[in-house]
Amino acid sequence: MNTRFHGVGVAIVTPFNADHSIDFDGYGRVIQHISDGGVRYIVLQGTTGESPTVTKAEKKQLLNYTKENNPKNLPIVYGVGGNVTPEVVNYIKETDFDGIDAILSVCPYYNKPGQRGVIEHFTRIADASPVPVILYNIPPRTGINMTAETVCTLAEHPNIIGVKEASCIIEQCMEIARDKPEDFLLISGDDVQGVPIISIGGVGVMSVIANAFPSRFCGIIDAALEGDFKLASRELSHFLRIDPLLYEEGNPVGIKNIMEIMGLIEGHVRLPLMKASESLSERQRIVLQQDQLLELVA
C-alpha cells in the first residue's frame, strides 16, 4: 500500500504582506516549521492557501518555491480543481508536474451537478493527469455532496487513489471505508474528525491546525494510526475549543491569526476575507492559554 499520504498532511497557508503580495520569507518559515514538526506531506493551494484569490502566475511561483525550499523533501499534493471541466483539464495539460506527487481536486462547485456529472468530471481529470488524483468532498463549500457510492465508483479508476472527506458525515465515511478498494485512501478533511475516521479505516488528515501545531497534532494522528485511540482522543480534546474559532470568520482567517500570535507570519488575508477581528483574536488567545496550547509555541 502507498503510505506517502498516511498521517498528517498540511493544507498550507499562503502568507501575505501588508500590501497583500505573497510573503515568501514567511512562507519559507511555515514550510520549515511544519517540516520540523513531522508532517508527512504538503498540500499546496487548497482553500486554506486561499486558492480562489491566488493568480495562476502566483500559484506557479508558490509551487516552484515549495519545490526549491522543501528541507525534508516532503511529497507535494497540488490543488487543481474547478467547476468547468475542460478548463481544469487544460490547466493540467499546461502544468509542469515535475516534483508534484499528486493533485487534490475539489468537487465541482456552484453549478451543482448530479452524481453522473461528478463521475464524468473526475474521470476526465484522472485521465488527463500525469500524477495520481485525490478527490475532495466538502459540501458546505461546493453545494453538493459526493456520495459514498460515487466515491467508490471513482475509486475503481486506476489514477484516483483517495478522497479527502470533509462532509463530516461519519456514516458516509463508514460506507466508503466498507466499500472502497483496499488500497484506496480515506483521508479526513476535518481536524477533529481525524481520529474517528482513522478508527473506521482512514489513513490520516489533511490538516489546517497543523500549520500552527504540527508536532502535537502529528502525535495525535500517529497515536490513532497505532491504535491508541484513548491517548489520541485525550490529546485531541485540547483542540476541540480552538477548532471552531479557526472558521468563524472564514478559513484561513483563524489559523493565520494564531500563527501571527505565535510570531510565524502576519495574519493578512485577501478580500473578500478580512483579517481576524479583535474579538476573535482575543477569544483565540484565551482558549489557547486555557487549553494549554500557547506553551507549545516556543
Side-chain angles (χ1 to χ4, degrees):
M1 179 180 289
N2 185 346
T3 61
R4 285 181 301 167
F5 307 118
H6 287 205
V8 175
V10 174
I12 194 168
V13 300
T14 303
F16 297 123
N17 297 303
D19 64 359
H20 298 109
S21 61
I22 295 176
D23 174 11
F24 282 100
D25 289 340
Y27 187 60
R29 288 194 298 273
V30 176
I31 294 174
Q32 188 68 57
H33 177 65
I34 64 175
S35 298
D36 290 344
V39 305
R40 296 291 298 276
Y41 58 99
I42 297 170
V43 183
L44 176 65
Q45 277 303 285
T47 310
T48 307
E50 293 179 72
S51 56
T53 55
V54 173
T55 68
K56 285 185 178 180
E58 288 172 330
K59 291 179 194 291
K60 185 175 181 180
Q61 291 175 328
L62 286 162
L63 180 58
N64 289 337
Y65 186 95
T66 307
K67 292 176 184 178
E68 295 168 3
N69 298 271
N70 187 357
K72 297 197 175 179
N73 198 30
L74 298 175
I76 295 172
V77 178
Y78 188 44
V80 179
N83 64 342
V84 183
T85 309
E87 288 187 3
V88 180
V89 170
N90 287 337
Y91 184 79
I92 289 171
K93 292 178 179 178
E94 295 168 356
T95 298
D96 178 7
F97 279 88
D98 181 49
I100 299 174
D101 295 88
I103 65 172
L104 177 69
S105 197
V106 69
C107 203
Y109 43 82
Y110 193 75
N111 40 17
K112 300 179 72 172
Q115 298 300 305
R116 290 190 305 124
V118 172
I119 290 170
E120 186 64 21
H121 173 81
F122 282 122
T123 297
R124 295 193 183 197
I125 288 172
D127 287 344
S129 177
V131 298
V133 176
I134 300 173
L135 310 172
Y136 182 15
N137 186 39
I138 182 162
R141 286 191 177 273
T142 62
I144 60 169
N145 178 43
M146 184 163 49
T147 66
E149 182 179 4
T150 293
V151 170
C152 291
T153 296
L154 287 165
E156 298 297 332
H157 192 291
N159 203 32
I160 297 177
I161 64 168
V163 62
K164 176 184 178 183
E165 245 298 336
S167 67
C168 294
I169 304 171
I170 196 67
E171 295 89 346
Q172 178 163 299
C173 296
M174 292 174 70
E175 290 179 34
I176 295 170
R178 180 191 65 197
D179 298 334
K180 70 179 183 65
E182 183 177 358
D183 59 351
F184 185 78
L185 306 174
L186 172 59
I187 302 168
S188 176
D190 181 89
D191 283 322
V192 298
Q193 283 212 342
V195 172
I197 286 178
I198 290 170
S199 76
I200 62 170
V203 298
V205 185
M206 291 189 185
S207 173
V208 174
I209 197 69
N211 275 283
F213 304 112
S215 180
R216 181 72 171 268
F217 200 74
C218 285
I220 291 168
I221 297 305
D222 288 347
L225 289 170
E226 293 165 5
D228 192 344
F229 291 104
K230 184 176 181 179
L231 172 62
S233 297
R234 184 174 69 245
E235 291 299 310
L236 183 62
S237 68
H238 288 275
F239 291 95
L240 293 180
R241 291 202 303 159
I242 198 63
D243 186 72
L245 297 182
L246 302 183
Y247 308 104
E248 186 175 294
E249 295 182 1
N251 186 36
V253 173
I255 190 63
K256 278 190 165 183
N257 191 65
I258 291 173
M259 296 169 81
E260 181 172 287
I261 293 170
M262 296 170 63
L264 269 176
I265 61 171
E266 295 186 16
H268 302 295
V269 292
R270 284 181 174 173
L271 286 168
L273 296 177
M274 294 284 286
K275 193 174 179 181
S277 65
E278 291 184 11
S279 171
L280 175 61
S281 184
E282 180 60 25
R283 283 181 287 131
Q284 283 188 330
R285 287 178 181 274
I286 291 170
V287 171
L288 288 170
Q289 186 172 31
Q290 289 179 342
D291 290 347
Q292 301 176 338
L293 294 173
L294 280 177
E295 66 185 21
L296 305 176
V297 172

